[in-house]
């Protein structure tokens, strides 16, 4: 059982805590303009939210003064696969991200694992094609009759000699003998 003194003390404590909570809530709101002023005076605002125009935000790595044409070639070596690029060529500016897709289908009656080997023309341009994503990075397992789209994402280095305006990127698939052709490995190959 509570006594009147205890009830009175509890009410007083509740009032004090309520006032304290309201003061702290108000203090939080009052601090926002104070912090903004401090950030403005110290220059922190400029670091956190620089005044960037659309022109300044453009990728400065892209060479907007020229175009480069990339032609694509696809081959298989002794495999019952159909392999071709969706687009035969693309025009890109050096430094610009490009994305192309190749289609492959296993026309054979059994699962086959293949590995794509890239080659470039002219040969000295290989160092200027920077691939970020490519099916050639790992072996590809295709079940009998399976068809798949495989992406290549790349950037042509702006340091590419100005005399080069056309590159050829060729892939040849070779069968990987003795590779695991189980469904688990085929699904793992889809990520590449």
């Amino acid at each position: 059982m509570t006594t009147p003194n205890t009830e009175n003390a509890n009410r007083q404590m509740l009032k004090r805590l309520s006032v304290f909570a309201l003061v702290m809530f108000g203090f939080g709101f009052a601090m926002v303009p104070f912090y903004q002023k401090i950030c403005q005076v110290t220059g922190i605002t400029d670091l956190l939210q620089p005044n960037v125009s659309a022109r300044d935000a453009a990728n400065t790595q892209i060479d907007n003064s020229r175009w480069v044409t990339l032609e694509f070639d696809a081959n298989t070596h002794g495999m019952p696969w159909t392999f071709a690029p969706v687009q035969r060529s693309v025009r890109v500016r050096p430094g610009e991200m490009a994305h192309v897709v190749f289609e492959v289908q296993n026309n054979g009656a059994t699962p086959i694992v293949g590995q794509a080997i890239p080659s470039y023309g002219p040969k000295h341009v290989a160092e200027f094609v920077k691939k970020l994503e490519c099916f050639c990075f790992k072996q590809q397992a295709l079940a009998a009759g399976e068809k798949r789209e495989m992406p290549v994402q790349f950037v042509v280095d702006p340091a590419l000699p100005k005399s080069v305006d056309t590159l050829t990127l060729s892939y040849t698939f070779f069968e990987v003998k003795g590779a695991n052709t189980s469904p688990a490995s085929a699904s793992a190959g889809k990520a590449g």
Side-chain angles (χ1 to χ4, degrees):
M1 181 142 231
T2 60
T3 65
N5 286 341
T6 308
E7 282 182 23
N8 194 21
N10 285 343
R11 280 192 193 112
Q12 287 292 343
M13 181 60 79
L14 180 62
K15 285 180 186 178
R16 288 180 186 154
L17 289 174
S18 297
V19 168
F20 182 75
L22 285 172
V23 168
M24 291 306 294
F25 188 74
F27 182 72
F29 271 104
M31 290 306 294
V32 172
F34 179 70
Y35 280 126
Q36 285 176 339
K37 198 55 147 173
I38 288 175
C39 291
Q40 186 179 21
V41 169
T42 60
I44 294 174
T45 303
D46 294 336
L47 294 174
L48 298 176
Q49 297 174 346
N51 186 9
V52 179
S53 69
R55 183 180 58 85
D56 294 335
N59 185 346
T60 58
Q61 307 261 325
I62 296 175
D63 182 354
N64 288 312
S65 68
R66 65 184 176 140
W67 289 96
V68 176
T69 301
L70 270 88
E71 298 173 341
F72 303 103
D73 180 45
N75 306 288
T76 59
H77 185 264
M79 298 174 69
W81 285 13
T82 305
F83 176 48
V86 172
Q87 291 178 265
R88 288 281 173 201
S89 67
V90 293
R91 281 184 69 200
V92 297
R93 293 191 185 275
E96 178 181 43
M97 180 79 64
H99 182 87
V100 295
V101 176
F102 285 74
E103 291 181 333
V104 64
Q105 181 170 357
N106 180 357
N107 300 315
T110 60
I112 299 174
V113 176
Q115 177 77 47
I117 308 296
S119 60
Y120 303 87
K123 288 185 180 185
H124 72 279
V125 301
E127 66 184 276
F128 299 104
V129 179
K130 310 294 185 195
K131 288 184 266 189
L132 306 168
E133 177 184 359
C134 184
F135 56 88
C136 65
F137 292 160
K138 57 176 111 173
Q139 297 177 356
Q140 301 295 322
L142 269 70
E146 182 180 357
K147 184 176 184 178
R148 185 181 306 160
E149 288 188 345
M150 299 181 301
V152 178
Q153 197 167 21
F154 63 91
V155 174
V156 175
D157 193 325
L160 177 75
K162 300 235 185 245
S163 60
V164 179
D165 61 358
T166 303
L167 312 172
T168 301
L169 177 53
S170 178
Y171 289 100
T172 303
F173 258 110
F174 293 88
E175 183 175 355
V176 180
K177 301 280 187 192
N180 184 359
T181 58
S182 68
S185 69
S187 63
K190 289 182 183 180

